[in-house]
Amino acid sequence: MSPAIKYTLGRIGLFVVVLALLSPLPLNILVTGMIAILVSAVASFFLLAKWRNQMNEQLVGVAGRRSAEKERLRAALAGDEEAAAEGDRAAAPQQQKSAEPPR
């Protein structure tokens, strides 16, 4: 399961648990909800640190791949033939077909 999904579900789960614990108190539902949001946010900072760090690593990897692709596209637009050929998705299937030996 994706770290982002695990962290999101953990945050929602903590909120629901805290809201359920606060529901017997004679408070307005909005006040109870606000307290539950604050308490679950503080609790998630400590309890879900591992999942938060995993999600951060995943997002850093995605950002790195996107910035590398952006630089490759800029180089291709500037006239770098090697960068253009490296990321040419239309030519990739044709190259694979020609690389396969005939049967």
Side-chain angles (χ1 to χ4, degrees):
M1 184 182 304
S2 168
I5 293 173
K6 285 194 305 189
Y7 181 71
T8 302
L9 291 176
R11 289 287 307 258
I12 293 170
L14 276 174
F15 171 74
V16 169
V17 167
V18 173
L19 188 65
L21 291 174
L22 292 175
S23 63
L25 297 177
L27 295 173
N28 186 347
I29 188 69
L30 293 176
V31 173
T32 306
M34 287 188 287
I35 293 171
I37 287 173
L38 291 173
V39 171
S40 67
V42 171
S44 70
F45 182 76
F46 296 106
L47 298 175
L48 303 178
K50 180 181 173 186
W51 289 351
R52 185 177 59 250
N53 291 337
Q54 289 174 352
M55 182 179 68
N56 183 34
E57 291 171 7
Q58 179 189 29
L59 293 176
V60 166
V62 169
R65 285 191 300 274
R66 284 185 179 181
S67 65
E69 179 68 11
K70 183 178 178 181
E71 289 302 316
R72 188 201 59 78
L73 288 172
R74 284 186 178 170
L77 288 173
D80 185 1
E81 296 294 328
E82 184 178 315
E86 180 182 318
D88 193 2
R89 294 182 185 147
Q94 293 173 358
Q95 290 173 355
Q96 288 176 353
K97 287 180 186 176
S98 64
E100 293 177 3
R103 294 182 187 186

